[in-house]
Amino acid sequence: GKGLADKTVEIQNGVDTNIFSPHPIDLNSLGLNHLKDKKIIVFVGNLLPVKRLDIVLNSMKLLADDKLALVVVGGGYAVNKYKQMAKDLSNIYFVGQCDDQKKLSDYYNVATCVVVPSDYESFSLVAAEASACGVPVVVSNIPAMASRIKNGVNGFLFEKGSVEGLAEALNKIMAMSEEERKVMGQHGRTEIENTYSWDKHMEKLIKV
């Protein structure tokens, strides 16, 4: 008979595109009213070393642009280490863990871009959720990301572990017009709807 390997079907994670969708956000509702004149970069994730928040902090140092703000959504044992790293930077905001999907979707929606700098991911749910919200993503060039993000189309890839590479990608996204970023975000949203939405997810499960 056939081995189990022949019967294994890989189905990517699904994203609830109803919750994770583009919508206008009142910064006040997130307690971020003080950032209304800033371009907001959002990082979402457990603060584990593999998620590489350190690269984001160092690239913020490198960019030294007071029109930018970084909002860090997530907790974890290393949070104090990162707060310590960020203490000389006035434009970094740690908002703690967020277990509420609707609120998480709000955080994505206030972002000019969402950054996923991980050294390793099997499938980045954060990058997929951000794309579903119509937000451009800046992601490390690892297989799980490179298979989904087309450089300059639905986001930007940068060399894994490179502070300079990330800073350069962030510069590119900030230099785009509002309209160009919107188009990039829409490409991301369309691709998620076509491939990773819950409906598509269920279709594939039913087929199997």
Side-chain angles (χ1 to χ4, degrees):
K2 289 192 158 209
L4 193 60
D6 302 322
K7 295 202 180 83
T8 308
V9 177
E10 188 181 351
I11 297 179
Q12 293 286 16
N13 290 340
V15 175
D16 188 334
T17 46
N18 295 320
I19 293 178
F20 294 101
S21 64
H23 55 270
I25 292 303
D26 169 20
L27 280 172
N28 236 347
S29 67
L30 291 173
L32 297 175
N33 213 27
H34 54 294
L35 302 184
K36 64 176 183 299
D37 301 323
K38 308 257 189 220
K39 285 179 175 163
I40 300 173
I41 298 162
V42 170
F43 171 97
V44 174
N46 275 337
L47 302 183
L48 306 166
V50 68
K51 299 288 184 186
R52 298 311 303 267
L53 177 58
D54 57 312
I55 299 178
V56 191
L57 295 174
N58 287 327
S59 63
M60 290 296 282
K61 268 182 202 167
L62 199 61
L63 290 168
D65 182 347
D66 57 12
K67 290 189 292 296
L68 299 181
L70 172 68
V71 172
V72 178
V73 184
Y77 70 93
V79 66
N80 289 329
K81 181 185 94 172
Y82 291 118
K83 282 182 175 169
Q84 197 55 30
M85 270 186 79
K87 73 177 193 313
D88 304 330
L89 296 164
S90 60
N91 53 351
I92 314 287
Y93 303 90
F94 289 84
V95 296
Q97 208 158 341
C98 176
D99 297 319
D100 171 357
Q101 286 201 311
K102 285 197 169 60
K103 189 173 184 187
L104 188 55
S105 177
D106 290 351
Y107 278 122
Y108 289 130
N109 272 284
V110 299
T112 299
C113 72
V114 169
V115 60
V116 185
S118 315
D119 280 343
Y120 171 79
E121 295 275 351
S122 54
F123 169 82
S124 173
L125 200 52
V126 169
E129 288 168 350
S131 291
C133 291
V135 179
V137 292
V138 175
V139 301
S140 49
N141 194 350
I142 56 176
M145 306 286 199
S147 63
R148 195 177 81 66
I149 302 302
K150 292 172 188 59
N151 205 30
V153 179
N154 54 356
F156 285 110
L157 296 155
F158 70 94
E159 190 192 337
K160 173 178 102 171
S162 168
V163 173
E164 293 78 11
L166 174 53
E168 199 180 312
L170 288 171
N171 261 337
K172 273 188 200 152
I173 231 162
M174 298 307 163
M176 292 165 77
S177 70
E178 189 86 22
E179 195 43 51
E180 289 168 322
R181 280 196 295 267
K182 202 172 187 162
V183 168
M184 183 175 266
Q186 274 162 350
H187 282 304
R189 166 95 183 158
T190 301
E191 176 248 348
I192 294 294
E193 284 178 327
N194 291 341
T195 317
Y196 299 104
S197 70
W198 271 117
D199 296 346
K200 289 280 183 265
H201 190 60
M202 292 319 289
E203 252 170 54
K204 287 176 194 163
L205 280 179
I206 290 161
K207 258 203 200 107
V208 170

